[in-house]
Each structure stands twice: as structure tokens, then as C-alpha cells.
Amino acid sequence: MSTIDPTQPQPATDNTVVPAAPAPAPLAPQQAFRPMVQPEFKSIGTMWLLWFFLGGVSAHEFYMGRIGIAFLRLFTAQYLGVGLIIDLFLNTARVRRYNEQVSLLTGVASPTAVMIKA
């Protein structure tokens, strides 16, 4: 004698298959791309402190979440020192751009937004 598993589809008498459970409803667009962890704004001051004291080991790149670039720079000695000079000009813009992306994602105003008065 065989046992019937209630979670599996069972054949009906007219050779059609009855589904075991209804399919889940599709996610709404705003739910489909919602991250599991809310990203946080980054601080320009923290970025500059990490660059100044721990720039040689790419701590500022790790802080910004640029893990691939951080390891590349770590293993190439910051592009032989050129990477640190490039960061001197680009760090503030990178933090502002990151914070603007977080602002668009979360709907919270960016603390590093540049206000332009008309």
C-alpha cells in the first residue's frame, strides 16, 4: 500500500494534474529591488582621515565599498603612488556621488548635497 504525499500534485480522475498549492503573487516593483540592508551615508571627514593615515593599505577604498579597486591598489602599491595623488583630487566627489545614490535609493536627503541658491 502506498502513501499519498499531500504536498505533491495528485492526478485527477480525468488525467489532469491538480496543483498542490497556488503560485505566490509577484512582487511589486518597489519590493523587487529593495536591498536587505539599508546603505548608510559616508562621511567626507572619515574618508580623508582614512586616506591620510591608512591610504597606503587602501582603507579609504574599503570604506567606500570599492573592494575590487582596493585590492588592486593594495597589490600594486597604489599604482606606484600615483593612486594616492589621484585620490587627492577625487575623494570628495566620490563621497558626494555615493551619498547622492544612497539618497535616491532611500529617499532621505544627502548630508553632502551641494545646495545651489537661485
Side-chain angles (χ1 to χ4, degrees):
M1 187 161 121
S2 66
T3 59
I4 297 175
D5 186 0
T7 61
Q8 298 297 319
Q10 303 299 320
T13 56
D14 60 351
N15 292 334
T16 60
V17 177
V18 177
L27 293 175
Q30 64 270 22
Q31 293 174 336
F33 300 107
R34 175 168 271 163
M36 297 298 285
V37 177
Q38 289 291 354
E40 295 182 3
F41 293 111
K42 303 292 183 181
S43 165
I44 293 175
T46 302
M47 167 69 108
W48 281 113
L49 287 172
L50 289 171
W51 176 84
F52 187 76
F53 290 109
L54 298 171
V57 293
S58 304
H60 60 293
E61 298 290 357
F62 285 109
Y63 173 69
M64 289 301 297
R66 298 168 35 124
I67 307 300
I69 296 293
F71 277 115
L72 177 67
R73 286 183 164 195
L74 187 63
F75 294 125
T76 60
Q78 292 292 331
Y79 308 139
L80 300 175
V82 176
L84 290 174
I85 296 170
I86 292 171
D87 288 341
L88 185 64
F89 299 100
L90 298 179
N91 275 348
T92 302
R94 286 180 182 151
V95 174
R96 285 189 177 137
R97 185 174 4 162
Y98 177 88
N99 286 343
E100 288 301 319
Q101 291 173 348
V102 171
S103 176
L104 290 173
L105 184 65
T106 60
V108 178
S110 171
T112 58
V114 178
M115 298 300 206
I116 299 174
K117 293 187 178 186

